[in-house]
Amino acid sequence: MKVSASKENHLKAIFHLQQEQGIVTTNALAAALKTRPASVTDMLKKLKDQKLLIYERYKGFKLNAEGKKAAIQVIRKHRLWEFFLVRKLQFGWEEVHEIAEELEHISSRKLVDRLDSFLGFPDTDPHGDPIPDGQGRFHTQRQKCLCELPLNKEVQVSGIASQTTEMLEVLQYNHIQLGTRLEVRKKFPFDDSLEVKVRNRPPVTISAQVAKNVLVKDDEPFAEKR
Amino acid sequence: MKVSASKENHLKAIFHLQQEQGIVTTNALAAALKTRPASVTDMLKKLKDQKLLIYERYKGFKLNAEGKKAAIQVIRKHRLWEFFLVRKLQFGWEEVHEIAEELEHISSRKLVDRLDSFLGFPDTDPHGDPIPDGQGRFHTQRQKCLCELPLNKEVQVSGIASQTTEMLEVLQYNHIQLGTRLEVRKKFPFDDSLEVKVRNRPPVTISAQVAKNVLVKDDEPFAEKR
DNA sequence: ATTACTTTTTAGATTTGTCTAAATTATATT
DNA sequence: AATATAATTTAGACAAATCTAAAAAGTAAT
């Protein structure tokens, strides 16, 4: 049973959404994929027919075991290719997402496994997201986000949750990137913005929207992967 | 102006055919692509509209300068990925064609150039075919085939023209692969089959059909690429 | 040059994935 | 509970790439 590139994109997006929400809605998925609700409905029917999805109309939906397995394989491919692009081809971590969106649809299972081995079985991609192994298991925890951090504790940026160019622009402007050491100095309850102190720099203010997407690891130094 | 994967496949096939024939026919292209003449005609119109093709109905067709440039870029991608798969991911040279057929449609130009650099700017792919550089120039000559070789001259296999599994099966059976040193001992005019002596092995007989697809380089040792 | 054959093209259908606009179902408010 | 609003689905259309069957154009052979 074949899964097209478009279906893979839907599976992946559903997987991510249901991580947060449990059940996924048509509108949310349409927004995530930059497509229309009607198109999502069309696709849902196909995915249901292929028994990858639990879905009843007007009721929301989520992946079943098969669907999750398929989605995780796509995520695995995406993250391995990102790792390859950054570590082997010297791409910047902020420019690999788009290319990996294409590479993730190459179908050969053997290719993915060989690539994994070639890269030394990494467990974290260049944005800090965990890379599932060949059996779909994650070996790394998801990082905490800046907004749920105690004050005045120095941490290190270990991942960026969203990779829109707009987001990355803000981060670059504030000299925050993967590996940056920083601490949260103050929280403003009015808009949940944060005052953040980056080592050796004046403090800057970060909106809640941005903070939500900056993932950090407590303390231990950022290990450069070879 | 976008060129879909299918269009790229057509461009590539036309390029190869016009190397041999100068002008290409609808039936020949349909056969090469395992599609139908009617489908080819449809695609020809699109390629003509995109000004990649010189084409008048019922008259045959060929790529113009733009079309050739586009085709060569696809060939470049295909052969670089094949090289990558064999040299970096330890694939056998007989199994990479299919995967490269997918990888060749990844669009990022930067990716291709970085890959080229990462691989050390190889000029020959694992089947012995020349890899064009970033400007579309070929730096290597096409190899001669076994059937047009003088008798009793030791040469080295530097390429396999066709990669069907059936072909490769015959070669494997006769212990012929990339790098094998051999010489042609005798030609049988009746069916153009050849008696071939592989170094350190008893002589074997090779059909004309197979010989046509075994490409060799005169003498100089097979340089292992790093 | 007329007929027979081959090649190529056209006409019309199909599949996949998308869309808009309208209809339907669910939810929220009074 | 009735109604307004929001979310979702259906209906119908479209573009891309393919197909089959039939028509048209070109080629060859007497």
Side-chain angles (χ1 to χ4, degrees):
Chain A
M1 191 151 294
K2 68 198 73 129
V3 178
S4 67
S6 177
K7 275 174 195 157
E8 287 192 338
N9 286 335
H10 281 78
L11 291 174
K12 197 174 51 142
I14 297 168
F15 182 87
H16 288 313
L17 287 172
Q18 80 182 33
Q19 293 284 90
E20 301 158 10
Q21 330 243 288
I23 200 94
V24 185
T25 68
T26 302
N27 271 357
L29 183 52
L33 290 170
K34 288 178 182 161
T35 180
R36 297 309 185 143
S39 311
V40 166
T41 303
D42 291 342
M43 189 58 90
L44 292 177
K45 287 183 202 157
K46 293 174 199 164
L47 293 176
K48 189 191 178 182
D49 287 350
Q50 287 180 40
K51 304 202 196 310
L52 297 168
L53 197 68
I54 297 160
Y55 166 55
E56 272 190 283
R57 68 196 193 306
Y58 294 106
K59 297 276 188 174
F61 47 90
K62 60 180 174 179
L63 300 175
N64 63 20
E66 270 303 296
K68 259 183 233 167
K69 230 168 68 181
I72 288 173
Q73 284 310 312
V74 181
I75 290 165
R76 172 170 156 79
K77 286 189 280 181
H78 183 100
R79 294 181 180 169
L80 282 172
W81 281 118
E82 284 198 342
F83 190 95
F84 169 73
L85 293 172
V86 170
R87 295 308 165 88
K88 298 293 182 178
L89 300 195
Q90 323 295 312
F91 276 90
W93 60 277
E94 71 287 352
E95 55 183 336
V96 295
H97 181 75
E98 201 189 1
I99 302 175
E101 283 290 302
E102 286 187 64
L103 285 163
E104 73 187 4
H105 302 299
I106 306 294
S107 58
S108 166
R109 175 59 190 257
K110 191 168 179 181
L111 169 58
V112 185
D113 291 344
R114 287 284 173 94
L115 182 66
D116 195 9
S117 159
F118 174 63
L119 299 173
F121 304 102
D123 52 41
T124 310
D125 80 6
H127 301 102
D129 293 311
I131 302 175
D133 68 18
Q135 279 69 54
R137 291 178 299 232
F138 292 86
H139 295 197
T140 316
Q141 299 308 308
R142 176 119 210 85
Q143 300 98 324
K144 276 180 270 178
C145 80
L146 258 194
C147 41
E148 58 192 8
L149 217 63
L151 292 183
N152 301 315
K153 181 170 190 195
E154 182 168 295
V155 293
Q156 198 167 31
V157 176
S158 57
I160 308 295
S162 151
Q163 291 105 226
T164 65
T165 6
E166 291 81 2
M167 256 281 308
L168 299 169
E169 193 190 337
V170 178
L171 293 182
Q172 233 142 26
Y173 179 78
N174 287 306
H175 299 88
I176 294 174
Q177 56 176 270
L178 207 59
T180 302
R181 296 185 155 283
L182 49 75
E183 57 185 272
V184 177
R185 283 282 173 78
K186 197 162 165 32
K187 299 187 185 186
F188 299 97
F190 174 64
D191 60 355
D192 292 323
S193 65
L194 304 174
E195 189 189 86
V196 171
K197 173 75 177 61
V198 177
R199 248 201 200 176
N200 310 322
R201 296 211 138 264
V204 293
T205 305
I206 297 288
S207 73
Q209 220 184 334
V210 170
K212 207 172 54 193
N213 287 299
V214 176
L215 307 171
V216 298
K217 239 193 267 178
D218 280 48
D219 232 336
E220 81 242 46
F222 179 65
E224 191 63 33
K225 277 128 193 156
R226 292 176 316 103
Chain B
M1 192 153 290
K2 68 198 73 131
V3 178
S4 66
S6 178
K7 276 174 194 158
E8 286 192 338
N9 285 336
H10 284 252
L11 291 174
K12 195 173 53 141
I14 297 168
F15 182 86
H16 288 313
L17 287 171
Q18 80 182 33
Q19 293 284 88
E20 300 158 10
Q21 329 244 287
I23 199 97
V24 186
T25 68
T26 302
N27 272 357
L29 183 53
L33 289 169
K34 287 178 182 161
T35 180
R36 296 308 183 143
S39 311
V40 166
T41 302
D42 290 343
M43 189 57 90
L44 292 177
K45 287 183 201 157
K46 292 174 202 166
L47 293 176
K48 191 192 177 183
D49 287 350
Q50 286 181 40
K51 303 203 196 309
L52 297 168
L53 197 67
I54 296 160
Y55 165 56
E56 272 188 282
R57 68 196 193 304
Y58 293 107
K59 296 274 189 173
F61 47 89
K62 60 180 174 180
L63 300 176
N64 62 19
E66 270 304 296
K68 259 182 231 166
K69 230 167 70 180
I72 288 172
Q73 284 309 313
V74 181
I75 290 165
R76 171 170 157 79
K77 287 189 279 182
H78 182 100
R79 293 181 181 168
L80 282 173
W81 281 117
E82 284 198 342
F83 190 95
F84 169 73
L85 293 172
V86 170
R87 294 307 165 86
K88 299 293 182 179
L89 301 194
Q90 322 295 316
F91 276 90
W93 58 276
E94 70 287 353
E95 55 184 336
V96 296
H97 181 75
E98 202 189 0
I99 301 175
E101 284 290 302
E102 286 188 63
L103 285 164
E104 73 187 3
H105 301 300
I106 305 295
S107 58
S108 166
R109 175 60 191 257
K110 190 168 179 180
L111 169 58
V112 185
D113 292 343
R114 288 282 173 95
L115 182 65
D116 195 9
S117 160
F118 173 64
L119 298 173
F121 304 102
D123 52 40
T124 309
D125 80 6
H127 302 102
D129 293 312
I131 302 175
D133 69 17
Q135 279 69 52
R137 292 178 300 232
F138 292 87
H139 294 194
T140 315
Q141 298 308 308
R142 174 121 208 81
Q143 301 97 328
K144 278 180 270 179
C145 81
L146 258 194
C147 41
E148 58 192 9
L149 218 62
L151 293 183
N152 301 315
K153 181 170 190 197
E154 183 168 295
V155 293
Q156 199 167 30
V157 176
S158 58
I160 308 295
S162 150
Q163 292 108 225
T164 65
T165 5
E166 291 81 3
M167 255 280 310
L168 299 168
E169 192 189 339
V170 178
L171 292 181
Q172 233 143 25
Y173 179 77
N174 287 306
H175 299 88
I176 294 173
Q177 54 176 271
L178 206 59
T180 302
R181 299 185 153 281
L182 50 75
E183 57 184 274
V184 177
R185 282 283 173 75
K186 199 163 162 31
K187 300 185 183 185
F188 299 99
F190 173 64
D191 61 355
D192 294 321
S193 65
L194 305 174
E195 190 189 87
V196 171
K197 174 74 176 63
V198 177
R199 249 198 196 178
N200 309 323
R201 297 210 137 265
V204 293
T205 305
I206 298 289
S207 73
Q209 218 185 333
V210 169
K212 208 172 51 193
N213 288 298
V214 176
L215 307 171
V216 298
K217 240 193 266 179
D218 280 48
D219 233 338
E220 81 242 47
F222 180 66
E224 190 64 34
K225 278 129 195 156
R226 293 176 314 106

